[in-house]
Amino acid sequence: MITRHPAYDLSRRNTFGMNVSCRLYVEITDPADLPALDFEALPQPVFILGGGSNLLFTQDFPGTVLHLANRGIEADAEQTRVRVAAGTVFDDFCAWAAAEGLWGPENLSLIPGEAGACAVQNIGAYGVEVKDIIDTVHAFDRAERRFVDIPGSACGYGYRTSHFKTGWKGRYCVTAVTFRLSRSPKPVLDYGGLRKVLEAEHPGSTGPDGAGLTPQRVRDTVIGIRQKKLPDPAVLGSAGSFFCNPVMEKAHFRRIEALAREEHGADYAVPHYEVGDQVKVPAAWMIDTCGFKGVREGGAQVYPGQPLVIVNATGHATPEEILALERRIVAAVKGKYGIELHPEVEHI
Ligand code: EPU
């Protein structure tokens, strides 16, 4: 079914809680209706919305916002290939997999958003990116007006990016994603203190074969860590991490390290991860050490618990206030560390 809502209020369709509207909102519950939809006749531009958890509407949207609201999880006999409809809440799929004892998405538990959008954004957390478990992306190709199955390996996945966000932007409506799951233990624990927390909660469970662990146990622990660090979008509007973590040359990292040691003492360790012959430094650390924790711009605030997140602290923050805070952070980090932060959140 296709439903059309003119002059639609989007405030409950974006987790940032921006009080904006679009000229037309179209909801599609059955992707089989897509070929009959005359995209060119819709108010332009057409934007395909998932759970609205990774975007900032910077103003009222002049065109059409289209949402695929098909839901459902279908597994093959072995349950290792699982097809999830685009409008399914991604965490419902994570919960289902954990309850079935299937490994794969447990580290991605509680990431807000829908299954279709996860394949566009290549969501990630705790050392896992969704590309690691995507087998096939099922989509409607607007250019050729036909349904296509795109192997995950052809989607151009990188850190929080894919061809869907770049060269293929606007071309495909993702209708479902097939994930590859596993019955044998495949725990990924060496990121963000996950192993340490699991060991504290279940001593001896994180041995080399992962035999002491279940996907449910890992999921519960990831949920616990996230709930401690990140704002609950149901309570405090945000779009998760606002910026990407920057990657830099080693020489640049050494200059940042020298600066930090001048400031905090010779033993000070700057958090970082080696990525090939480059270095990734948490943007949270840069924002924190530029003094932005808790800083406000009207109703927008740098979340004190995780400064990578900007929140709608009053529930009435405007896009202008969020953008002003973003500009202040980018300028301060650039001034102090010579690094240009790029938003992870898509600006519409
Ligand atoms: N840090 C500080 N001060 C703080 C908080 C953090 O200096 O107040 C430093 C610490 O050194 C900490 C480091 O930042 O170790 C990294 O923090 P964290 O482990 O919370 O992860 P992150 O790199 O900031 C990324 C993802 C998150 C994901 C976590 C866990 C990006 C842009 N963000 O954040 O994803 O949950 O790792 O894997 O890559 C999201 O995309 O919306 C998101 C929340």
Side-chain angles (χ1 to χ4, degrees):
M1 198 172 67
I2 303 182
T3 45
R4 294 162 189 261
H5 309 264
Y8 187 81
D9 169 15
L10 291 168
S11 54
R12 281 195 300 278
R13 296 279 170 191
N14 70 101
T15 59
F16 237 136
M18 291 298 102
N19 187 11
V20 291
S21 63
C22 59
R23 205 164 139 213
L24 180 68
Y25 183 78
V26 176
E27 188 151 275
I28 299 180
T29 46
D30 183 357
D33 289 334
L34 277 165
L37 186 68
D38 185 354
F39 280 86
E40 277 63 48
L42 298 171
Q44 301 292 314
V46 176
F47 176 73
I48 300 166
L49 179 74
S53 57
N54 195 56
L55 48 84
L56 174 66
F57 282 111
T58 57
Q59 56 188 357
D60 287 334
F61 188 72
T64 303
V65 171
L66 192 144
H67 179 232
L68 261 96
N70 58 326
R71 292 187 169 204
I73 299 173
E74 281 168 42
D76 65 0
E78 285 86 47
Q79 293 189 306
T80 50
R81 292 277 188 288
V82 180
R83 184 176 169 128
V84 183
T88 309
V89 171
F90 182 77
D91 191 55
D92 288 353
F93 159 61
C94 298
W96 175 87
E100 295 289 332
L102 293 161
W103 292 91
E106 61 283 352
N107 288 30
L108 307 176
S109 292
L110 215 62
I111 295 183
E114 295 176 357
C118 89
V120 173
Q121 165 74 354
N122 186 23
I123 58 174
Y126 303 102
V128 173
E129 289 180 309
V130 79
K131 73 169 173 59
D132 304 336
I133 58 165
I134 288 181
D135 183 81
T136 310
V137 178
H138 311 278
F140 179 69
D141 180 349
R142 284 176 56 188
E144 307 225 332
R145 302 194 73 79
R146 65 187 178 101
F147 290 97
V148 291
D149 295 327
I150 309 170
S153 57
C155 295
Y157 284 126
Y159 171 53
R160 296 294 197 276
T161 190
S162 71
H163 290 329
F164 298 109
K165 278 183 85 172
T166 53
W168 297 348
K169 203 173 166 75
R171 176 164 175 183
Y172 295 101
C173 303
V174 176
T175 56
V177 180
T178 295
F179 296 97
R180 238 183 347 255
L181 307 184
S182 165
R183 283 241 163 252
S184 41
K186 289 202 168 164
V188 178
L189 308 177
D190 292 315
Y191 191 94
L194 186 53
R195 182 184 295 278
K196 217 170 106 197
V197 181
L198 267 165
E199 263 308 314
E201 289 173 355
H202 309 283
S205 68
T206 69
D209 57 358
L213 290 177
T214 60
Q216 186 67 55
R217 207 166 248 194
V218 177
R219 168 174 165 80
D220 292 344
T221 301
V222 166
I223 288 176
I225 298 174
R226 286 185 73 98
Q227 284 176 334
K228 260 193 221 139
K229 277 193 185 171
L230 296 168
D232 176 355
V235 179
L236 196 57
S238 88
S241 300
F242 196 91
F243 297 99
C244 287
N245 285 326
V247 175
M248 65 196 73
E249 299 302 323
K250 278 192 173 141
H252 196 122
F253 175 69
R254 278 193 287 272
R255 287 199 293 278
I256 290 180
E257 202 169 38
L259 183 72
R261 287 186 175 155
E262 252 172 53
E263 227 171 88
H264 309 285
D267 296 334
Y268 186 84
V270 177
H272 66 283
Y273 310 90
E274 308 251 328
V275 185
D277 53 7
Q278 294 193 305
V279 182
K280 188 186 258 192
V281 176
W285 175 83
M286 296 184 166
I287 299 166
D288 187 357
T289 52
C290 284
F292 272 95
K293 246 184 187 173
V295 165
R296 287 176 83 137
E297 180 76 44
Q301 185 184 28
V302 177
Y303 189 59
Q306 164 51 296
L308 193 54
V309 179
I310 294 180
V311 293
N312 181 348
T314 56
H316 305 290
T318 62
E320 291 73 27
E321 289 165 351
I322 309 249
L323 292 169
L325 191 51
E326 173 185 355
R327 280 193 296 272
R328 281 174 64 189
I329 293 169
V330 170
V333 168
K334 175 99 182 148
K336 182 160 183 176
Y337 296 119
I339 292 289
E340 175 112 20
L341 289 183
H342 295 287
E344 201 229 274
V345 169
E346 190 178 0
H347 291 43
I348 314 282

